[in-house]
Amino acid sequence: MGLLPFDRTHAVAVAGWPQSAAEVSMWCGLREFPLPARTVEAWQHADDVRAHLLLDGERLVGYGELWIDAEEQEIELARIIVAPDARGKGHGRTLVRELTAQALLTGLPAVFLRVHPDNDRALRCYRAAGFAPVDPRLAKSWNAVQPVAYVWLRHDEAAS
């Protein structure tokens, strides 16, 4: 297994991984299905986004981003997805752990992620990768400007 920087040649594959409009919505908050590859490519233009791919040998099995906020001294893991034929094999947990390791290398002290409240599978994965819920008051304040009431998690060094 290895984590590599995103290469735009993989945008078509990554955009094709969501299997339904509901999955697109839970993954990235958009409603368009199928998701166009140009959307995944466009995400790469933001200065504060570092996208990565998880490879199992030569096979692309995962995608995720680091959203770096130096001013707030934090990083959010975002848009995490595993290829449909690679799900249920521990690749999601590996991807989250690898992304977290990359985030911690920045020296920023806080690593967060959010998950759609209906995405039980992702929530189990993130908890198994060392994330725990943030204080409910903090989650409520962050969700005040969000389209859904996400479950917010913070990396817990002791749990990973």
Side-chain angles (χ1 to χ4, degrees), residues 96-110:
V96 171
R97 286 182 175 153
E98 293 286 332
L99 289 170
T100 301
Q102 288 294 310
L104 294 172
L105 286 174
T106 68
L108 297 176

PDB file of all heavy atoms in Angstrom, residues 96-110:
ATOM      1  N   VAL A  96      -7.302   6.545   5.596  1.00  0.00           N
ATOM      2  CA  VAL A  96      -7.472   7.565   6.637  1.00  0.00           C
ATOM      3  C   VAL A  96      -6.217   7.651   7.504  1.00  0.00           C
ATOM      4  O   VAL A  96      -5.754   8.751   7.836  1.00  0.00           O
ATOM      5  CB  VAL A  96      -8.735   7.294   7.480  1.00  0.00           C
ATOM      6  CG1 VAL A  96      -8.799   8.205   8.692  1.00  0.00           C
ATOM      7  CG2 VAL A  96      -9.974   7.458   6.609  1.00  0.00           C
ATOM      8  N   ARG A  97      -5.637   6.530   7.851  1.00  0.00           N
ATOM      9  CA  ARG A  97      -4.408   6.554   8.658  1.00  0.00           C
ATOM     10  C   ARG A  97      -3.253   7.194   7.895  1.00  0.00           C
ATOM     11  O   ARG A  97      -2.476   7.957   8.469  1.00  0.00           O
ATOM     12  CB  ARG A  97      -4.056   5.139   9.110  1.00  0.00           C
ATOM     13  CG  ARG A  97      -4.962   4.653  10.211  1.00  0.00           C
ATOM     14  CD  ARG A  97      -4.597   3.277  10.695  1.00  0.00           C
ATOM     15  NE  ARG A  97      -5.421   2.908  11.835  1.00  0.00           N
ATOM     16  CZ  ARG A  97      -5.721   1.680  12.165  1.00  0.00           C
ATOM     17  NH1 ARG A  97      -5.250   0.652  11.455  1.00  0.00           N
ATOM     18  NH2 ARG A  97      -6.473   1.423  13.213  1.00  0.00           N
ATOM     19  N   GLU A  98      -3.137   6.895   6.608  1.00  0.00           N
ATOM     20  CA  GLU A  98      -2.074   7.487   5.792  1.00  0.00           C
ATOM     21  C   GLU A  98      -2.277   8.995   5.620  1.00  0.00           C
ATOM     22  O   GLU A  98      -1.325   9.770   5.687  1.00  0.00           O
ATOM     23  CB  GLU A  98      -1.991   6.803   4.427  1.00  0.00           C
ATOM     24  CG  GLU A  98      -1.527   5.362   4.485  1.00  0.00           C
ATOM     25  CD  GLU A  98      -0.034   5.235   4.775  1.00  0.00           C
ATOM     26  OE1 GLU A  98       0.730   6.139   4.425  1.00  0.00           O
ATOM     27  OE2 GLU A  98       0.346   4.207   5.372  1.00  0.00           O
ATOM     28  N   LEU A  99      -3.514   9.404   5.377  1.00  0.00           N
ATOM     29  CA  LEU A  99      -3.807  10.837   5.273  1.00  0.00           C
ATOM     30  C   LEU A  99      -3.522  11.551   6.588  1.00  0.00           C
ATOM     31  O   LEU A  99      -2.979  12.662   6.602  1.00  0.00           O
ATOM     32  CB  LEU A  99      -5.264  11.054   4.854  1.00  0.00           C
ATOM     33  CG  LEU A  99      -5.629  10.701   3.427  1.00  0.00           C
ATOM     34  CD1 LEU A  99      -7.153  10.729   3.242  1.00  0.00           C
ATOM     35  CD2 LEU A  99      -4.956  11.635   2.430  1.00  0.00           C
ATOM     36  N   THR A 100      -3.879  10.904   7.693  1.00  0.00           N
ATOM     37  CA  THR A 100      -3.607  11.495   9.012  1.00  0.00           C
ATOM     38  C   THR A 100      -2.113  11.647   9.226  1.00  0.00           C
ATOM     39  O   THR A 100      -1.655  12.689   9.727  1.00  0.00           O
ATOM     40  CB  THR A 100      -4.237  10.628  10.123  1.00  0.00           C
ATOM     41  OG1 THR A 100      -5.652  10.536   9.890  1.00  0.00           O
ATOM     42  CG2 THR A 100      -3.979  11.226  11.495  1.00  0.00           C
ATOM     43  N   ALA A 101      -1.340  10.652   8.842  1.00  0.00           N
ATOM     44  CA  ALA A 101       0.123  10.740   8.971  1.00  0.00           C
ATOM     45  C   ALA A 101       0.652  11.914   8.154  1.00  0.00           C
ATOM     46  O   ALA A 101       1.525  12.668   8.630  1.00  0.00           O
ATOM     47  CB  ALA A 101       0.778   9.434   8.534  1.00  0.00           C
ATOM     48  N   GLN A 102       0.145  12.101   6.939  1.00  0.00           N
ATOM     49  CA  GLN A 102       0.560  13.244   6.119  1.00  0.00           C
ATOM     50  C   GLN A 102       0.170  14.557   6.792  1.00  0.00           C
ATOM     51  O   GLN A 102       0.938  15.515   6.789  1.00  0.00           O
ATOM     52  CB  GLN A 102      -0.084  13.165   4.727  1.00  0.00           C
ATOM     53  CG  GLN A 102       0.479  12.108   3.841  1.00  0.00           C
ATOM     54  CD  GLN A 102       1.924  12.394   3.471  1.00  0.00           C
ATOM     55  OE1 GLN A 102       2.264  13.490   3.033  1.00  0.00           O
ATOM     56  NE2 GLN A 102       2.781  11.412   3.660  1.00  0.00           N
ATOM     57  N   ALA A 103      -1.018  14.597   7.367  1.00  0.00           N
ATOM     58  CA  ALA A 103      -1.475  15.811   8.050  1.00  0.00           C
ATOM     59  C   ALA A 103      -0.572  16.149   9.230  1.00  0.00           C
ATOM     60  O   ALA A 103      -0.190  17.307   9.428  1.00  0.00           O
ATOM     61  CB  ALA A 103      -2.926  15.633   8.517  1.00  0.00           C
ATOM     62  N   LEU A 104      -0.207  15.164   9.999  1.00  0.00           N
ATOM     63  CA  LEU A 104       0.633  15.400  11.177  1.00  0.00           C
ATOM     64  C   LEU A 104       2.037  15.849  10.789  1.00  0.00           C
ATOM     65  O   LEU A 104       2.688  16.580  11.556  1.00  0.00           O
ATOM     66  CB  LEU A 104       0.678  14.148  12.052  1.00  0.00           C
ATOM     67  CG  LEU A 104      -0.668  13.770  12.700  1.00  0.00           C
ATOM     68  CD1 LEU A 104      -0.564  12.415  13.388  1.00  0.00           C
ATOM     69  CD2 LEU A 104      -1.139  14.850  13.661  1.00  0.00           C
ATOM     70  N   LEU A 105       2.499  15.455   9.610  1.00  0.00           N
ATOM     71  CA  LEU A 105       3.815  15.890   9.143  1.00  0.00           C
ATOM     72  C   LEU A 105       3.886  17.396   8.912  1.00  0.00           C
ATOM     73  O   LEU A 105       4.968  17.975   8.897  1.00  0.00           O
ATOM     74  CB  LEU A 105       4.204  15.160   7.855  1.00  0.00           C
ATOM     75  CG  LEU A 105       4.610  13.702   7.999  1.00  0.00           C
ATOM     76  CD1 LEU A 105       4.828  13.074   6.621  1.00  0.00           C
ATOM     77  CD2 LEU A 105       5.857  13.570   8.861  1.00  0.00           C
ATOM     78  N   THR A 106       2.750  18.052   8.749  1.00  0.00           N
ATOM     79  CA  THR A 106       2.733  19.498   8.531  1.00  0.00           C
ATOM     80  C   THR A 106       3.087  20.261   9.803  1.00  0.00           C
ATOM     81  O   THR A 106       3.430  21.434   9.741  1.00  0.00           O
ATOM     82  CB  THR A 106       1.358  19.990   8.059  1.00  0.00           C
ATOM     83  OG1 THR A 106       0.412  19.835   9.123  1.00  0.00           O
ATOM     84  CG2 THR A 106       0.902  19.273   6.804  1.00  0.00           C
ATOM     85  N   GLY A 107       2.961  19.593  10.938  1.00  0.00           N
ATOM     86  CA  GLY A 107       3.211  20.260  12.211  1.00  0.00           C
ATOM     87  C   GLY A 107       1.988  20.958  12.782  1.00  0.00           C
ATOM     88  O   GLY A 107       2.038  21.459  13.903  1.00  0.00           O
ATOM     89  N   LEU A 108       0.899  20.992  12.029  1.00  0.00           N
ATOM     90  CA  LEU A 108      -0.334  21.581  12.562  1.00  0.00           C
ATOM     91  C   LEU A 108      -0.919  20.608  13.580  1.00  0.00           C
ATOM     92  O   LEU A 108      -0.961  19.404  13.340  1.00  0.00           O
ATOM     93  CB  LEU A 108      -1.320  21.881  11.442  1.00  0.00           C
ATOM     94  CG  LEU A 108      -0.836  22.922  10.425  1.00  0.00           C
ATOM     95  CD1 LEU A 108      -1.844  23.073   9.291  1.00  0.00           C
ATOM     96  CD2 LEU A 108      -0.594  24.270  11.096  1.00  0.00           C
ATOM     97  N   PRO A 109      -1.360  21.120  14.728  1.00  0.00           N
ATOM     98  CA  PRO A 109      -1.701  20.232  15.843  1.00  0.00           C
ATOM     99  C   PRO A 109      -3.060  19.533  15.800  1.00  0.00           C
ATOM    100  O   PRO A 109      -3.253  18.543  16.493  1.00  0.00           O
ATOM    101  CB  PRO A 109      -1.651  21.173  17.047  1.00  0.00           C
ATOM    102  CG  PRO A 109      -1.976  22.520  16.492  1.00  0.00           C
ATOM    103  CD  PRO A 109      -1.397  22.530  15.100  1.00  0.00           C
ATOM    104  N   ALA A 110      -3.991  20.016  14.993  1.00  0.00           N
ATOM    105  CA  ALA A 110      -5.341  19.455  15.039  1.00  0.00           C
ATOM    106  C   ALA A 110      -5.731  18.875  13.686  1.00  0.00           C
ATOM    107  O   ALA A 110      -5.565  19.525  12.649  1.00  0.00           O
ATOM    108  CB  ALA A 110      -6.352  20.523  15.446  1.00  0.00           C
TER     109      ALA A 110
END
